[in-house]
């Protein structure tokens, strides 16, 4: 038993889907715990944080850290797990680039805070009570983490050795990585982001013929052809700007890729790449002069069809994007 | 000097939480706090998004129950865009949902809260887990557990495109047709689910019903609360998971209300306290009397136990048989109207969950055998203008889930209200933790095993704190759940 490498899986601001992806190794989960000694995983084990705090530096061989950084407790856990881990993996889209909760960076918190607590349709709150930051008690204060104004990523706080992208990462990818790491610890992954080097399009069985689209459709407005490229049918499929690795799951059930593996290798910004791809699909020339009437008309049509650009193009990657969200 | 006991984090559940227990000079529990130090903010950041994206966005509220959010969202969108899905699409949605229910309830019993029952609450830490459960029950049973999770996630992938965070739900239907070959496979997998559910119930009977110590625990006051019970029912008042009317019965078993899910805001309102971030829903008609049991307190529960209490029976034969056995064993007879009186011993939630496991498996089999699910007609497109309001509801494994969306004329969200399964039970969970801590910790004697029994008080609800922490606030936002010794709110906490 002492020869087995140790493994920890922790969640910061997350949904638990990354833990379920691990559970969904099914039979291989048992093979995994035969290879690794699982030492910390609040979802599955009763090991408490104090046990981890007591560990010496680098005591855990591999830590899969999922979830975004939303509060001071997340930061504290990121530093703790960095200290005790030889290899720290940003595990899943939230730790990698903020994922869907990163969209909250488009909002100032205070506007909606009022809606949540004061809307008399849903709340019994005639005195307009709002939560307080501290809760003194007659015994001692109850301490709670400081809630950050913005969602940040694991790499914004501590050095990250590897990134396993996806919301969640495909179960087989988790196993591949952990087997590889056990057999050849560290230094084996030449790329920091573990995943394919191209886009979801290379994995997608749909056919393309290079046709240009006259207008874009929102997915509830059209029943797409089941065999042809969704983007070429005017559906905003984000596979063209998204890292390969999932197997193009969503397009195979007639839904567009929503981009959960993040920007493809070599793309700096997923949303910017998506805008470029759309311009190409729509026969727009981004270099065309602004006084080109046709260009402007088509851009306006495009804008009409997509009321929420930021949400569409940065569904998972806003917190790590060049845009970052509203100041 | 008072002593402070901290359980951090709470474990074998979904999401973040911490329990703080303060002991008085005699070493007895003076106060207990259940803190949830996390929030992520879906209600706020979904504003501005295109409504049709919500089934994909809101599934990220929870990776354990994304199917519940995905489908509640699709149902809300049906209403929002004024489009009725074809019958085949409704059946495919429900079929996926039943597979999910089987997977989710099995996961709770074998990997999360149920592990306390299978390996025992006082087992060593390393045994109180899925892995300990498999060691205890043997490799053959372990294989059955793994196969159950595997085949149901396979169903979710076949129908919804992905094992986790499925994507096929749309306003007006479903994006993926079911082939004849797939139907044959689904029917076979459903049959195996029924077998597995029966096996699991038999296992539960052998561990609990045949054991005097467990039966004493199941009927003791330690985990007892007499509250209102909520659940979704069909036209015959049988328990229903995907669709129906919301029914609430009082602690004696008499009906308080039966309403369309879209009328939820007429019946449920949420209380705000200055010392907590998470709100406390309660029954408007009854009113808020603090953290108290009884017919005068608006505290209600939405859980497997409450769904059995609120229904007149189950919709399938095997589950009905087990339902009767449940009330005959633990109940206290029938009301004048002939309904079983509610069971209020909260540990019985574990048994109720397994009865639902069988109900879901049997319902899945009915749907998988239905020739209509292979219809090519699985979507209707919205025709008229966007209605700008849509409310969708179903029974998540952890309680009644409601998605309420409001949009502009383009279908861009302007207001989102989510009442999730776990939040319904917020007051009740806080009461249960306090009661268990008070009953177990005496004279300052504390052990890890005893604290695990305190944790069992919330685990039986199968809470999903990621779901409950979907709200977004400003600045540091404490989420504290606090109960005082007599069950009323504690008065000395912070001033504005």
């Amino acid at each position: 038993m002492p020869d087995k490498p140790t493994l920890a899986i922790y969640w910061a601001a997350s949904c638990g889907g990354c833990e379920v992806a691990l559970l969904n190794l099914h039979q291989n989960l048992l093979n995994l715990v035969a290879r690794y000694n699982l030492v910390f995983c609040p979802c599955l084990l009763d090991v408490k944080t104090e046990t981890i705090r007591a560990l010496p530096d680098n005591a855990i061989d591999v830590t899969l850290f999922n979830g975004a950084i939303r509060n001071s407790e997340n930061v504290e856990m990121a530093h703790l797990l960095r200290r005790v881990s030889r290899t720290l993996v940003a595990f899943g889209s939230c730790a990698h680039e903020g994922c869907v909760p990163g969209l909250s960076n488009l909002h100032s918190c205070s506007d909606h805070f009022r809606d949540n607590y004061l809307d008399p349709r849903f709340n019994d709150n005639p005195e307009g009570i709002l939560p307080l930051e501290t809760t003194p008690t007659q015994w001692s204060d109850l301490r709670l983490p400081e809630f950050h104004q913005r969602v940040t990523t694991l790499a914004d706080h501590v050095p990250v050795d590897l990134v396993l992208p996806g919301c969640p990462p495909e179960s087989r990818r988790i196993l591949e990585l952990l087997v590889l790491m056990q057999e050849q610890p560290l230094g084996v992954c030449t790329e920091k982001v573990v995943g394919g080097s191209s886009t979801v399009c290379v994995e997608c069985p749909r056919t393309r013929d290079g046709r240009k689209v006259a207008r874009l459709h929102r997915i509830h407005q059209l029943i797409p052809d089941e065999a042809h490229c969704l983007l070429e049918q005017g559906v905003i499929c984000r596979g063209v700007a998204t890292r390969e690795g999932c197997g193009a799951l969503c397009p195979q059930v007639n839904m567009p890729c929503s981009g959960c593996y993040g920007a493809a290798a070599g793309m700096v910004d997923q949303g910017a790449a998506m805008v470029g791809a759309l311009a190409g699909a729509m026969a727009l020339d981004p270099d065309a002069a602004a006084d080109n009437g046709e260009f402007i008309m088509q851009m306006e049509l495009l804008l009409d069809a997509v009321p929420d650009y930021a949400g569409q193009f940065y569904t998972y990657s806003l917190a790590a994007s060049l845009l970052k969200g509203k100041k | 000097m008072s002593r402070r006991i901290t359980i951090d984090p709470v474990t074998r559940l979904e999401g973040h939480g911490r329990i703080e227990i303060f002991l008085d000079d005699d070493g007895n529990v003076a106060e207990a706090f259940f803190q949830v130090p996390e929030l992520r903010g879906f209600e706020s950041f979904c504003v501005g998004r295109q409504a049709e994206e919500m089934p994909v966005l809101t599934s990220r509220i929870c990776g354990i129950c994304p199917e519940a959010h995905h489908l509640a969202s699709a149902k809300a969108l049906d209403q929002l865009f004024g489009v009725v899905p074809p019958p085949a699409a409704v059946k495919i949605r429900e079929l996926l949902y039943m597979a999910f229910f089987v997977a989710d309830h099995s996961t709770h019993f074998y990997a999360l809260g149920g592990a306390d029952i299978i390996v025992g609450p006082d087992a060593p830490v390393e045994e109180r887990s899925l892995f300990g459960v498999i060691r205890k029950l043997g490799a053959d049973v372990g294989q059955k557990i793994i196969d159950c999770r595997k085949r149901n996630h396979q169903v979710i992938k076949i129908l919804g495109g992905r094992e986790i965070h499925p994507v096929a739900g749309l306003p007006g239907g479903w994006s993926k047709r079911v082939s004849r070959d797939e139907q044959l496979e689904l029917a076979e997998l459903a049959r195996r689910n029924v077998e597995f559910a029966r096996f699991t119930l038999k296992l539960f009977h052998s561990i609990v019903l045949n054991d005097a110590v467990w039966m004493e625990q199941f009927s003791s006051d330690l985990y007892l609360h007499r509250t209102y019970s909520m659940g979704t029912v069909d036209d015959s008042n049988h328990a229903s998971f995907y669709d129906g009317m919301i029914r609430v019965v009082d602690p004696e078993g008499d009906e308080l209300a039966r309403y369309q899910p879209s009328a939820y805001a007429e019946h449920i309102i949420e209380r705000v306290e200055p010392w907590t971030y998470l709100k406390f829903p309660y029954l408007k008609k009854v009113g808020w009397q603090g953290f108290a049991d009884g017919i005068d307190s608006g505290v209600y529960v939405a859980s497997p136990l409450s769904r059995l209490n609120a229904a007149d029976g189950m919709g399938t034969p095997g589950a009905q048989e087990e339902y009767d056995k449940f009330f005959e064993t633990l109940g206290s007879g029938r009301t004048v109207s002939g309904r079983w009186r509610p069971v209020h011993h909260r540990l019985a939630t574990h048994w109720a969950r397994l009865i639902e496991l069988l109900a879901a498996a049997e319902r899945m089999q009915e749907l998988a055998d239905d020739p209509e699910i292979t219809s090519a007609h699985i979507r209707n497109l919205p025709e008229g203008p966007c209605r700008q309001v849509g409310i969708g509801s179903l029974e998540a494994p952890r309680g009644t889930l409601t998605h309420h969306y409001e949009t502009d004329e383009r279908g861009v969200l302007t207001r989102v209200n989510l009442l999730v399964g776990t939040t319904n039970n917020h007051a009740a969970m806080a009461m249960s933790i306090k009661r268990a801590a008070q009953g177990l910790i005496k004279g300052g004697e504390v052990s890890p095993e005893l604290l695990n029994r305190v944790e069992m008080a919330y685990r039986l609800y199968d809470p999903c704190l990621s779901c409950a922490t979907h709200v977004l606030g400003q600045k540091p936002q404490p989420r504290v759940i606090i109960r005082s010794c007599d069950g009323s709110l504690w008065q000395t906490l912070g001033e504005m």
Side-chain angles (χ1 to χ4, degrees), chain B residues 124-142:
Chain B
V125 168
E126 60 273 19
E127 296 305 312
R128 293 197 311 255
S129 68
L130 172 64
F131 311 111
V133 163
I134 292 174
R135 279 190 286 273
K136 172 88 183 263
L137 298 176
D140 288 352
V141 178

Side-chain angles (χ1 to χ4, degrees), chain B residues 245-262:
Chain B
M245 300 280 279
I246 310 294
R247 194 187 202 197
V248 182
V249 301
D250 71 21
E252 299 303 318
D254 295 318
E255 184 177 290
L256 174 83
R258 193 174 184 280
Y259 56 88
Q260 287 287 350
S262 55

Side-chain angles (χ1 to χ4, degrees), chain A residues 14-26:
Chain A
S14 74
C15 75
C18 289
E19 273 77 7
V20 178
L22 188 90
L23 270 179
N24 283 8
L25 285 171
H26 305 307

